[in-house]
Amino acid sequence: MFIENRFDTGELILNVADGGHDGPPIIFLHGLTSFWREYAPLLHQLTQFGHVYAPDLRGHGKSGRGHRYQPEDYARDIASFLQQHIGKPAVLVGHSLGALVAMQLAAQHPECVRSLVLLDPPLCIREVGPEAMTEINMWMQWVYEMASEKRPFSEIVSSCCQMMPEIEDGATIEMLAQTVASLDPNTLTCFFETQLQNDALETLILTIHVPTLLLHGNWELGAVVRDEDAALLQASIPAAKVVKVTDAGHMLHQEQATFVWEYIAQFLEGARETAVV
């Protein structure tokens, strides 16, 4: 069972869900426009391998609002939590923006990071803008409209049903609507306005020296990692393992949950054995 606690970073308050199990620390970092509860099934699986913490990133869920929302800002919040509350290196598991934040942490605070599990990080932004990510761009535009205009919750739920008619589960729709209702729309500036240049992203990747698992979807199905992006990471991080989930897009951990979990479990089991040795 996960219990939510509050942590003061010195800049703002983070809402952090605590899995309460024994073992090495595992920090899960969600994607842009999401919050920790959306990943509950994966989080419960992760508790097999350690003590899982899942923060709402700044501007998301129940966490405080910030003046800026760039990857380094999110990373600074999590570094503060790791240094002041955890006190030892953690496994970082991140999806999308959360994966990019995990990479920033591994580069800037290597003493805080034991290993990385990256689920479809937006590596393509070194060369392409939002318009190239058609489905995600459409979703972000809709979320920004709902959040910035502070639409009533019932209206967000109704609009969410129209946006995703394939989702018939009312609880899932309500949870997605809640993520939108609780979001600071300014968080979306890092999607609409920021593009990491080739040299900046390559420099970031080259400074990562911890064991890394990259699981990415198929660009043709909506993933945000192209084959050339995966090849760059593979060539730049000697300890990296790269797996392409060809039948999934950006939400690969939901679309191919069993396949993705098998790779994560293998990686974490190996990391656990290495830590024991």
Side-chain angles (χ1 to χ4, degrees):
M1 180 179 179
F2 281 79
I3 298 174
E4 293 176 292
N5 298 306
R6 293 162 63 83
F7 174 78
D8 189 347
T9 69
E11 289 185 54
L12 47 77
I13 301 297
L14 283 185
N15 180 58
V16 183
D18 184 338
H21 291 259
D22 293 331
I26 300 173
I27 313 296
F28 182 84
L29 304 172
H30 64 74
L32 184 62
T33 78
S34 188
F35 71 154
W36 79 267
R37 286 187 180 276
E38 188 172 340
Y39 297 84
L42 177 57
L43 296 176
H44 285 291
Q45 289 177 303
L46 288 172
T47 58
Q48 300 174 41
F49 293 93
H51 191 150
V52 179
Y53 301 88
D56 287 334
L57 297 178
R58 61 164 58 197
H60 295 72
K62 297 178 182 177
S63 285
R65 277 36 185 159
H67 297 295
R68 236 177 50 133
Y69 294 102
Q70 296 300 321
E72 58 267 29
D73 301 311
Y74 295 111
R76 190 169 60 254
D77 294 337
I78 306 306
S80 178
F81 176 72
L82 286 167
Q83 292 164 348
Q84 297 181 42
H85 186 72
I86 304 301
K88 54 186 175 181
V91 176
L92 303 183
V93 182
H95 174 244
S96 195
L97 170 65
L100 192 59
V101 173
M103 293 168 64
Q104 289 275 355
L105 277 161
Q108 297 172 1
H109 300 279
E111 74 284 357
C112 294
V113 181
R114 186 153 61 91
S115 58
L116 298 174
V117 177
L118 309 174
L119 304 176
D120 212 54
L123 301 182
C124 67
I125 61 175
R126 65 194 180 99
E127 293 182 335
V128 303
E131 65 282 351
M133 297 173 270
T134 308
E135 292 184 8
I136 293 177
N137 189 35
M138 183 170 63
W139 167 258
M140 297 297 182
Q141 293 283 357
W142 174 79
V143 170
Y144 184 78
E145 178 185 347
M146 294 290 112
S148 61
E149 296 180 6
K150 301 187 184 303
R151 301 286 185 89
F153 186 72
S154 59
E155 187 176 334
I156 296 175
V157 170
S158 177
S159 184
C160 200
C161 289
Q162 295 174 16
M163 275 284 292
M164 291 169 286
E166 70 279 5
I167 300 179
E168 299 179 353
D169 178 36
T172 299
I173 288 290
E174 186 163 323
M175 182 180 65
L176 290 173
Q178 185 60 51
T179 69
V180 176
S182 62
L183 184 73
D184 180 350
N186 293 319
T187 58
L188 290 163
T189 56
C190 74
F191 176 77
F192 293 128
E193 299 175 5
T194 302
Q195 179 174 325
L196 291 177
Q197 297 301 316
N198 262 321
D199 55 349
L201 186 58
E202 290 180 17
T203 298
L204 174 66
I205 295 174
L206 284 168
T207 55
I208 297 173
H209 301 292
V210 298
T212 300
L213 171 65
L214 169 65
L215 288 162
H216 70 98
N218 188 334
W219 175 262
E220 299 299 325
L221 297 179
V224 294
V225 177
R226 303 167 300 171
D227 290 343
E228 54 266 41
D229 302 319
L232 169 66
L233 187 138
Q234 177 78 83
S236 303
I237 304 178
K241 179 176 179 60
V242 175
V243 179
K244 181 177 181 179
V245 187
T246 57
D247 295 331
H250 187 52
M251 304 298 288
L252 67 169
H253 57 289
Q254 294 178 356
E255 298 168 44
Q256 295 293 332
T258 300
F259 181 84
V260 167
W261 173 246
E262 287 176 356
Y263 273 99
I264 294 175
Q266 290 173 16
F267 179 79
L268 293 180
E269 186 62 46
R272 181 162 60 183
E273 292 175 355
T274 301
V276 170
V277 172

